[in-house]
Amino acid sequence: MKVRYRKAQALVESVVAIGILALVLTAAIALIVMSTSIRQRGFDRRKANQLANTVMEEYVAKSQQDPATFWVNTDNLSGKTMPEYSGYVYNVTFSIIGNSYPNCFVAKKNCMEIVVGVGWSGKNPENIEVRRFFSR
């Protein structure tokens, strides 16, 4: 009789051990999948941030090299792309700032905010924005 109970106990212990092992493996696989997704999302955001900063630095350079043209061309841009950033689209919005800031006047067009928004598609489509204040 004792031999039967020992065999049954060994069988129950084996089933419990396999269940625990399956639970641990499932959790480990879920963790690996989640960390891969987070890593990809971080890569996408970093690349979008690089694009936004590249575009903004172009406007900073324009404001310093050719201020007369910079302050005249304030047409918003949308749906622009760069070849080295495939899958990413950026928009540029110009806002002339008036009387709300000291020494800023709409008539003089001497203060402006530029917003560069970058969007991307994929598993988790998102958008980021970079803002910068310009004054003469």
Side-chain angles (χ1 to χ4, degrees):
M1 211 51 168
K2 290 184 178 183
V3 173
R4 280 180 64 194
Y5 289 126
R6 285 186 186 164
K7 287 182 180 180
Q9 183 180 2
L11 180 63
V12 170
E13 287 175 352
S14 298
V15 169
V16 169
I18 290 172
I20 291 172
L21 184 62
L23 183 67
V24 169
L25 286 176
T26 303
I29 290 171
L31 184 63
I32 290 169
V33 168
M34 188 170 43
S35 67
T36 303
S37 173
I38 290 171
R39 183 173 178 239
Q40 181 63 41
R41 185 174 177 211
F43 175 79
D44 290 342
R45 291 183 65 81
R46 186 173 350 115
K47 197 164 180 183
N49 195 26
Q50 287 173 346
L51 173 59
N53 285 323
T54 299
V55 172
M56 187 62 76
E57 289 305 317
E58 288 177 4
Y59 283 101
V60 170
K62 285 179 188 177
S63 74
Q64 294 170 351
Q65 293 169 358
D66 191 8
T69 307
F70 174 77
W71 288 95
V72 173
N73 293 334
T74 56
D75 295 332
N76 294 337
L77 305 173
S78 62
K80 301 300 245 177
T81 60
M82 285 189 171
E84 57 270 15
Y85 295 96
S86 65
Y88 295 82
V89 177
Y90 70 91
N91 304 314
V92 181
T93 307
F94 299 89
S95 300
I96 302 299
I97 297 174
N99 310 332
S100 59
Y101 283 84
N103 301 319
C104 291
F105 302 102
V106 174
K108 287 185 178 181
K109 232 182 191 184
N110 62 348
C111 297
M112 175 172 33
E113 181 182 52
I114 295 181
V115 179
V116 177
V118 178
W120 65 95
S121 58
K123 187 175 179 182
N124 297 318
E126 292 186 47
N127 297 308
I128 65 163
E129 285 186 349
V130 174
R131 298 173 177 266
R132 183 157 182 157
F133 178 80
F134 290 84
S135 66
R136 288 191 208 203

